[in-house]
Amino acid sequence: NLDTIDVDGPAAFASRTVFEPVTFTANDATPDVRFGRVFKTGNGAILTPNDITGFDNGVAGQIIHIIHMDNNTDYEDGTNLQLFRGLDHTTAQTNDTITFICVDGTKWVELGRSDNT
């Protein structure tokens, strides 16, 4: 539902952008990121770590932020996921975050991470 406003002359608008977090499906090695910008991991109920190797349906320039809601989500450095120093990220804990930017629709480069444990 889009509303339109016609403005003739100077105008000032106040707004904010809020991104509602989308939870990744458990055990998905390449979660779909087309419908969000902020995501939560969903691997709390699984017994072994889930390795994310890339993201589906990204577009060049897209930035995503991931909030860890579990201690079972890892990231595997490789062709589609380029991580800090080329090393796998296997130490993420609940409340940690990681951010990526999409290079070309399939290749994602890490922008940063936070350790909040």
mmCIF file of all heavy atoms in Angstrom, residues 63-66 97-101 109-114:
data_model
loop_
_atom_site.group_PDB
_atom_site.id
_atom_site.type_symbol
_atom_site.label_atom_id
_atom_site.label_comp_id
_atom_site.label_asym_id
_atom_site.label_seq_id
_atom_site.Cartn_x
_atom_site.Cartn_y
_atom_site.Cartn_z
ATOM 1 N N ILE A 63 23.509 -5.085 1.707
ATOM 2 C CA ILE A 63 24.174 -5.276 2.995
ATOM 3 C C ILE A 63 23.200 -5.999 3.913
ATOM 4 O O ILE A 63 22.036 -5.623 4.009
ATOM 5 C CB ILE A 63 24.603 -3.934 3.614
ATOM 6 C CG1 ILE A 63 25.670 -3.271 2.733
ATOM 7 C CG2 ILE A 63 25.122 -4.136 5.036
ATOM 8 C CD1 ILE A 63 26.051 -1.869 3.162
ATOM 9 N N ILE A 64 23.688 -7.052 4.574
ATOM 10 C CA ILE A 64 22.861 -7.780 5.532
ATOM 11 C C ILE A 64 23.556 -7.837 6.887
ATOM 12 O O ILE A 64 24.787 -7.887 6.964
ATOM 13 C CB ILE A 64 22.504 -9.207 5.049
ATOM 14 C CG1 ILE A 64 23.756 -10.052 4.831
ATOM 15 C CG2 ILE A 64 21.648 -9.157 3.789
ATOM 16 C CD1 ILE A 64 23.479 -11.528 4.560
ATOM 17 N N HIS A 65 22.759 -7.801 7.930
ATOM 18 C CA HIS A 65 23.233 -7.901 9.309
ATOM 19 C C HIS A 65 22.593 -9.141 9.917
ATOM 20 O O HIS A 65 21.383 -9.354 9.762
ATOM 21 C CB HIS A 65 22.820 -6.671 10.119
ATOM 22 C CG HIS A 65 23.212 -5.379 9.491
ATOM 23 N ND1 HIS A 65 24.481 -4.864 9.573
ATOM 24 C CD2 HIS A 65 22.496 -4.500 8.747
ATOM 25 C CE1 HIS A 65 24.533 -3.709 8.914
ATOM 26 N NE2 HIS A 65 23.344 -3.472 8.400
ATOM 27 N N ILE A 66 23.387 -9.939 10.605
ATOM 28 C CA ILE A 66 22.886 -11.180 11.192
ATOM 29 C C ILE A 66 23.124 -11.148 12.699
ATOM 30 O O ILE A 66 24.238 -10.904 13.161
ATOM 31 C CB ILE A 66 23.577 -12.407 10.573
ATOM 32 C CG1 ILE A 66 23.354 -12.411 9.055
ATOM 33 C CG2 ILE A 66 23.060 -13.700 11.213
ATOM 34 C CD1 ILE A 66 24.230 -13.385 8.306
ATOM 35 N N THR A 97 27.067 -10.557 16.405
ATOM 36 C CA THR A 97 26.549 -10.129 15.107
ATOM 37 C C THR A 97 27.634 -10.256 14.047
ATOM 38 O O THR A 97 28.829 -10.287 14.362
ATOM 39 C CB THR A 97 26.063 -8.667 15.130
ATOM 40 O OG1 THR A 97 27.182 -7.803 15.370
ATOM 41 C CG2 THR A 97 24.993 -8.448 16.179
ATOM 42 N N ILE A 98 27.197 -10.320 12.775
ATOM 43 C CA ILE A 98 28.112 -10.327 11.642
ATOM 44 C C ILE A 98 27.406 -9.618 10.476
ATOM 45 O O ILE A 98 26.177 -9.701 10.356
ATOM 46 C CB ILE A 98 28.561 -11.758 11.264
ATOM 47 C CG1 ILE A 98 29.720 -11.732 10.266
ATOM 48 C CG2 ILE A 98 27.399 -12.598 10.788
ATOM 49 C CD1 ILE A 98 30.449 -13.079 10.126
ATOM 50 N N THR A 99 28.173 -8.900 9.672
ATOM 51 C CA THR A 99 27.617 -8.110 8.570
ATOM 52 C C THR A 99 28.354 -8.436 7.279
ATOM 53 O O THR A 99 29.582 -8.573 7.282
ATOM 54 C CB THR A 99 27.742 -6.604 8.878
ATOM 55 O OG1 THR A 99 27.050 -6.322 10.090
ATOM 56 C CG2 THR A 99 27.161 -5.755 7.760
ATOM 57 N N PHE A 100 27.598 -8.550 6.187
ATOM 58 C CA PHE A 100 28.157 -8.861 4.869
ATOM 59 C C PHE A 100 27.645 -7.869 3.829
ATOM 60 O O PHE A 100 26.550 -7.329 3.960
ATOM 61 C CB PHE A 100 27.746 -10.265 4.415
ATOM 62 C CG PHE A 100 28.302 -11.381 5.246
ATOM 63 C CD1 PHE A 100 27.583 -11.906 6.301
ATOM 64 C CD2 PHE A 100 29.550 -11.920 4.960
ATOM 65 C CE1 PHE A 100 28.085 -12.946 7.069
ATOM 66 C CE2 PHE A 100 30.070 -12.959 5.718
ATOM 67 C CZ PHE A 100 29.337 -13.481 6.772
ATOM 68 N N ILE A 101 28.436 -7.683 2.759
ATOM 69 C CA ILE A 101 27.992 -6.955 1.579
ATOM 70 C C ILE A 101 28.126 -7.886 0.381
ATOM 71 O O ILE A 101 29.095 -8.645 0.283
ATOM 72 C CB ILE A 101 28.781 -5.641 1.361
ATOM 73 C CG1 ILE A 101 28.166 -4.838 0.213
ATOM 74 C CG2 ILE A 101 30.267 -5.910 1.158
ATOM 75 C CD1 ILE A 101 28.679 -3.414 0.112
ATOM 76 N N VAL A 109 31.093 -10.583 1.013
ATOM 77 C CA VAL A 109 32.318 -10.223 1.707
ATOM 78 C C VAL A 109 31.953 -9.712 3.103
ATOM 79 O O VAL A 109 31.046 -8.887 3.248
ATOM 80 C CB VAL A 109 33.090 -9.132 0.916
ATOM 81 C CG1 VAL A 109 34.329 -8.703 1.670
ATOM 82 C CG2 VAL A 109 33.448 -9.635 -0.463
ATOM 83 N N GLU A 110 32.651 -10.211 4.106
ATOM 84 C CA GLU A 110 32.392 -9.777 5.471
ATOM 85 C C GLU A 110 32.801 -8.325 5.666
ATOM 86 O O GLU A 110 33.911 -7.928 5.302
ATOM 87 C CB GLU A 110 33.150 -10.655 6.455
ATOM 88 C CG GLU A 110 32.918 -10.286 7.911
ATOM 89 C CD GLU A 110 33.708 -11.142 8.887
ATOM 90 O OE1 GLU A 110 34.286 -12.177 8.480
ATOM 91 O OE2 GLU A 110 33.722 -10.765 10.066
ATOM 92 N N LEU A 111 31.903 -7.528 6.251
ATOM 93 C CA LEU A 111 32.209 -6.140 6.591
ATOM 94 C C LEU A 111 32.673 -6.003 8.029
ATOM 95 O O LEU A 111 33.446 -5.121 8.355
ATOM 96 C CB LEU A 111 30.975 -5.251 6.395
ATOM 97 C CG LEU A 111 30.566 -4.962 4.966
ATOM 98 C CD1 LEU A 111 29.266 -4.174 4.938
ATOM 99 C CD2 LEU A 111 31.655 -4.171 4.251
ATOM 100 N N GLY A 112 32.164 -6.855 8.892
ATOM 101 C CA GLY A 112 32.548 -6.771 10.309
ATOM 102 C C GLY A 112 31.753 -7.746 11.145
ATOM 103 O O GLY A 112 30.779 -8.340 10.699
ATOM 104 N N ARG A 113 32.203 -7.888 12.372
ATOM 105 C CA ARG A 113 31.514 -8.754 13.343
ATOM 106 C C ARG A 113 31.707 -8.199 14.725
ATOM 107 O O ARG A 113 32.638 -7.440 14.981
ATOM 108 C CB ARG A 113 31.989 -10.200 13.244
ATOM 109 C CG ARG A 113 33.439 -10.395 13.600
ATOM 110 C CD ARG A 113 33.872 -11.849 13.576
ATOM 111 N NE ARG A 113 34.230 -12.285 12.237
ATOM 112 C CZ ARG A 113 34.943 -13.373 11.979
ATOM 113 N NH1 ARG A 113 35.376 -14.138 12.968
ATOM 114 N NH2 ARG A 113 35.221 -13.717 10.739
ATOM 115 N N SER A 114 30.819 -8.570 15.622
ATOM 116 C CA SER A 114 30.956 -8.146 17.021
ATOM 117 C C SER A 114 30.840 -9.369 17.921
ATOM 118 O O SER A 114 30.049 -10.269 17.680
ATOM 119 C CB SER A 114 29.891 -7.120 17.389
ATOM 120 O OG SER A 114 28.604 -7.695 17.330
#
